[in-house]
Amino acid sequence: MSNSVLFEPLISWQILYILAAILALTTGFAAWRGLSGWLLRGLGALVILVALSGPVLHREDRAPLSDVVLLVEDATASQSLGDRGGQTAEALAVLEQRLAARRNTEIRRIKLGDGDGDAGTELMGAISQALAKEPAGRVAGIIAVSDGVVHDMDAAPTLPAPLHVFQTGEASDWDRRIIVRNAPAFGILGEPITLTLRVEDSGAAPVADFAPLQISVDGAPPLDFTIPIGEDIDVPLTLAHGGRNVIQFTVPSAENELTDRNNTALIQMNGVRDRLRVLLVSGEPHPGGRTWRNLLKSDSSVDLVHFTILRPPSKQDGVPVDELSLIAFPTRELFLQKIEDFDLIIFDRYKRRGILPSAYLDNVVRYVEEGGAVLVAAGPDFASADSIYRSPLARILPAGPTALVVEEPYVPLISDVGARHPVTAGLPNAGGWGEWLRLVDVAPESGHVVMTGAGDRPLLVLDRKGEGRIALLASDQAWLWARGYDGGGPQLELLRRLAHWMMGEPELEEESLSAQANGQSMRIIRRSLQDTVGEVEVITPSGETKLLALTEQEPGRFEARFEGSEIGLYRLRNGDQEAVIGLGPAAPREFAQVIATSAIVQPAVDQLRGGVHRLEDGVPGIRNVRLGRPASGRNWIGLVPREAYEVQSVARMSLMPAWLVLLIITALVVGGWLREGRS
């Protein structure tokens, strides 16, 4: 029960102040003049003023509310290191016992686990959410049992009560970790990339100047090095292939080290080509020659060297040599000295004219077998006696001419194999393309026929020779699509895919195994020209092997999904195809810095003069303190008693009812009149 007096004036306080001033002056004047009855009349005036101020007795029936203490348990991954779990459990048991013994106190337990992704310890977020559910006037204190390594200090709230951190861990803890200072998302093939590494020791680490380092690329056996501790080291690296390259840096675990989860750095870097160098040799001017040129020049990453043979040696037109303005074809320089500089050579309607001797064409064959790429776009001359098939190139060409040239309209079609091959699979608007008007009849000898023409004859044949690739387009009519003839077709997309397949772009490999990571989930993709593929073998970072069935999502594309419980490098195998992929960061945020510390949470603790106490020194006692006073000492923490309450009922009673005011004023006025009458 609580009683208090409130005022509810019948007139404004300003008028009351003016009346009080007037009555005080008149009463004071009467007293100064010595008039009889001034005291009684002054008391009457005072009663009138009090009555006008409306005094009310305010009575509340109150029920006391308990104090609330937030008890936050940090159960994130770093709390599993060493004996931190045991320290936490013991401290929580003692705290619950002591808080339960306090009068009128409630405990709110909050357990903070690992969140989604790699967010780390979000202690401040957990405290903010808990405070949002409690009235600030009831919170007596906040106690967090944690190692102090908090990753969301920017979300620290304004605290209504002191924050105390009971710090787990031991003073003897030490850890070694590897840090990659810079890790680009991609690298240029053939050009060195410099990565900056650093190995750091923290905590009570033993004295050491050097540490071993292992470097592995795409899961290959690691190379061993020794590097200094505490210094930035530049590591030059050259990517060996296009697509994803997985580089793993590992520092072997040392004796008594707190954890080895941060001893590995896993980098996934895409290898890309800087410039694609293409040599285009047109045997004679024709409409398709400009199409090839426009296609290759439209790609800013392509360096194109284009020669069109306008005046072959056999041409005798009587024009004096000194009056010719044609550029001599640098055959020796291109086909002997600099052939290795090109990623792709295109022979567009080229035929034997004595310009390229057999020795040069032999060099082209060697170029392909050692990893180069050649595309032959055949015209009618391919079926003639001057065909380049009747040269050393016949050893690598996937089909030979039958001497028949088909001159009739036809719509190019994708073959059964072509529906599975990444060069032709899924080309837009298939079946609704425009017609071509010419086809050189060829007999396939090797490779895969991915497109067919008139009479189901081979149109596009792809093959591999040695380390290189060869393609034969048995028509010179692709330019009709570019001009929109009969509705056109996907000429640009087809030729772009064809060029990139020949240059070994990983996403266009017809036989490949790859994976895409999303957090701890991976999407496994197997491309194949076969109708079926077996199970894919997944080897986890701990060495466990799991088999997954692959489901065909579209022709030539098989997929499976896998949820990996471990963080690290996974190896995939299906037949002769292998791949590696990393799930999650090799060193999660929880393990990037594992030595217990008070420095990170100190700003939040200092808001209301709380404290940080190491649990290896024991669990401190609990005292009551006033808000704003020091809330932590050597072996104690302070909680703020709130004395909050809930009002259950309210009653009001006027202290100056009208009848009482009238009675008192009448008595005083009559008394004053009698007093004056005696004078």
Side-chain angles (χ1 to χ4, degrees):
M1 185 70 68
S2 173
N3 298 320
S4 60
V5 176
L6 304 178
F7 291 92
E8 297 177 350
L10 302 178
I11 59 178
S12 68
W13 285 107
Q14 291 82 355
I15 297 177
L16 278 175
Y17 294 151
I18 294 173
L19 290 176
I22 293 174
L23 292 175
L25 289 174
T26 55
T27 303
F29 178 75
W32 177 62
R33 293 296 301 269
L35 299 178
S36 59
W38 67 269
L39 179 59
L40 295 176
R41 294 181 183 277
L43 291 175
L46 179 61
V47 170
I48 293 174
L49 288 175
V50 172
L52 290 176
S53 67
V56 176
L57 178 63
H58 184 83
R59 178 173 294 172
E60 293 181 350
D61 185 12
R62 298 177 176 178
L65 296 177
S66 59
D67 292 337
V68 173
V69 177
L70 302 182
L71 186 55
V72 186
E73 176 190 357
D74 180 359
T76 55
S78 62
Q79 280 286 89
S80 63
L81 301 177
D83 190 36
R84 295 179 185 181
Q87 289 180 323
T88 300
E90 181 181 351
L92 290 174
V94 172
L95 282 171
E96 286 190 323
Q97 181 180 1
R98 292 178 181 176
L99 291 173
R102 285 175 55 86
R103 183 180 61 85
N104 205 33
T105 300
E106 292 185 48
I107 305 172
R108 299 286 190 266
R109 284 286 301 268
I110 300 106
K111 188 171 183 178
L112 174 61
D114 293 311
D116 296 333
D118 192 28
T121 302
E122 296 181 309
L123 179 65
M124 293 299 119
I127 292 176
S128 295
Q129 293 179 13
L131 289 175
K133 301 176 183 178
E134 305 293 341
R138 292 183 59 190
V139 179
I142 306 165
I143 303 174
V145 183
S146 171
D147 56 17
V149 183
V150 178
H151 300 102
D152 66 339
M153 285 303 299
D154 55 340
T158 300
L159 302 177
L163 169 63
H164 304 285
V165 176
F166 288 7
Q167 183 178 308
T168 59
E170 300 179 357
S172 59
D173 288 342
W174 78 278
D175 181 63
R176 175 171 293 167
R177 64 171 177 159
I178 185 170
I179 306 169
V180 179
R181 295 292 193 193
N182 61 318
F186 64 91
I188 306 299
L189 292 179
E191 294 188 6
I193 305 166
T194 300
L195 302 180
T196 303
L197 305 179
R198 185 183 181 90
V199 174
E200 283 188 351
D201 286 350
S202 55
V207 178
D209 296 326
F210 295 90
L213 174 67
Q214 298 176 342
I215 303 178
S216 173
V217 179
D218 291 333
L223 301 176
D224 294 321
F225 301 90
T226 300
I227 63 173
I229 297 174
E231 297 182 15
D232 288 347
I233 303 298
D234 291 336
V235 178
L237 182 69
T238 302
L239 300 183
H241 59 83
R244 184 175 61 239
N245 292 256
V246 181
I247 303 103
Q248 181 172 300
F249 300 94
T250 303
V251 176
S253 178
E255 185 179 0
N256 297 325
E257 187 180 357
L258 192 59
T259 179
D260 60 358
R261 289 292 300 275
N262 53 11
N263 289 32
T264 297
L266 192 65
I267 299 172
Q268 303 188 68
M269 190 183 309
N270 283 326
V272 298
R273 296 177 184 270
D274 180 20
R275 309 287 294 179
L276 304 178
R277 294 172 292 274
V278 180
L279 172 61
L280 173 60
V281 181
S282 297
E284 61 184 38
H286 72 106
R290 181 165 293 276
T291 298
W292 280 110
R293 181 180 180 86
N294 291 342
L295 166 68
L296 296 169
K297 293 295 287 184
S298 66
D299 191 339
S300 60
S301 65
V302 172
D303 285 337
L304 176 64
V305 177
H306 183 196
F307 281 92
T308 300
I309 301 173
L310 300 177
R311 190 175 185 274
S314 59
K315 185 174 183 179
Q316 300 295 330
D317 52 11
V319 180
V321 176
D322 58 357
E323 294 183 12
L324 292 174
S325 60
L326 300 179
I327 301 174
F329 191 7
T331 54
R332 178 179 178 81
E333 182 180 6
L334 293 177
F335 289 93
L336 284 184
Q337 299 175 358
K338 294 188 175 181
I339 190 171
E340 303 294 343
D341 294 341
F342 294 102
D343 299 299
L344 172 63
I345 299 175
I346 301 175
F347 290 102
D348 175 34
R349 288 192 59 169
Y350 180 81
K351 65 180 179 179
R352 294 185 299 120
R353 288 178 164 179
I355 296 177
L356 295 179
S358 295
Y360 292 0
L361 296 179
D362 272 327
N363 206 35
V364 173
V365 173
R366 181 195 57 79
Y367 159 79
V368 171
E369 292 174 343
E370 293 180 358
V374 167
L375 167 62
V376 176
D381 292 328
F382 190 73
S384 69
D386 295 328
S387 171
I388 60 172
Y389 184 78
R390 309 185 189 284
S391 73
L393 290 181
R395 301 205 306 269
I396 59 173
L397 287 172
T402 64
L404 174 64
V405 178
V406 180
E407 300 276 358
E408 64 179 54
Y410 64 91
V411 176
L413 299 175
I414 297 176
S415 67
D416 292 340
V417 173
R420 313 180 71 84
H421 201 290
V423 170
T424 49
L427 283 173
N429 197 29
W433 299 333
E435 295 179 331
W436 290 7
L437 305 177
R438 183 187 296 135
L439 175 68
V440 180
D441 186 34
V442 296
E445 299 173 357
S446 61
H448 300 99
V449 177
V450 297
M451 292 184 71
T452 60
D456 202 30
R457 294 179 174 89
L459 176 60
L460 178 60
V461 187
L462 307 179
D463 195 14
R464 295 170 182 257
K465 296 293 182 179
E467 299 296 325
R469 306 179 187 216
I470 183 80
L472 173 62
L473 181 62
S475 177
D476 59 351
Q477 300 286 293
W479 62 274
L480 291 174
W481 278 355
R483 301 286 180 87
Y485 176 76
D486 192 31
Q491 178 257 358
L492 182 62
E493 177 64 13
L494 172 62
L495 298 183
R496 184 195 67 81
R497 290 192 194 180
L498 182 58
H500 283 265
W501 173 82
M502 300 193 70
M503 289 181 283
E505 294 300 319
E507 65 271 14
L508 290 171
E509 291 294 294
E510 64 270 32
E511 295 289 340
S512 65
L513 177 64
S514 61
Q516 299 172 355
N518 183 12
Q520 289 302 115
S521 174
M522 79 169 72
R523 178 186 176 197
I524 303 172
I525 303 170
R526 174 73 163 98
R527 295 211 68 123
S528 177
L529 299 182
Q530 305 299 319
D531 294 332
T532 60
V533 294
E535 295 177 319
V536 62
E537 184 179 346
V538 181
I539 303 175
T540 67
S542 61
E544 182 182 359
T545 299
K546 298 184 179 181
L547 296 177
L548 296 178
L550 290 162
T551 304
E552 189 171 20
Q553 302 297 319
E554 56 187 54
R557 185 184 180 95
F558 302 82
E559 293 187 7
R561 292 192 175 272
F562 177 76
E563 295 290 335
S565 59
E566 301 177 58
I567 294 176
L569 190 67
Y570 287 75
R571 301 172 186 269
L572 312 177
R573 186 179 299 122
N574 177 261
D576 60 350
Q577 298 295 317
E578 296 184 356
V580 293
I581 187 172
L583 289 187
R589 200 173 184 187
E590 270 295 295
F591 295 95
Q593 208 285 80
V594 296
I595 301 301
T597 178
S598 63
I600 299 175
V601 297
Q602 199 65 51
V605 170
D606 290 342
Q607 280 191 35
L608 292 175
R609 309 175 76 174
V612 179
H613 298 266
R614 297 190 67 97
L615 286 178
E616 65 177 335
D617 298 330
V619 180
I622 301 175
R623 301 179 184 178
N624 288 336
V625 296
R626 292 198 304 272
L627 190 64
R629 301 287 293 173
S632 177
R634 182 185 179 100
N635 294 309
W636 62 272
I637 63 170
L639 301 180
V640 180
R642 289 299 191 172
E643 299 180 355
Y645 59 86
E646 179 183 14
V647 177
Q648 295 181 326
S649 64
V650 176
R652 288 191 174 191
M653 182 180 66
S654 176
L655 295 179
M656 297 290 289
W659 63 267
L660 180 61
V661 174
L662 180 61
L663 181 63
I664 294 175
I665 292 175
T666 300
L668 291 173
V669 170
V670 171
W673 176 71
L674 292 176
R675 177 70 176 169
E676 291 175 353
R678 294 177 183 174
S679 301

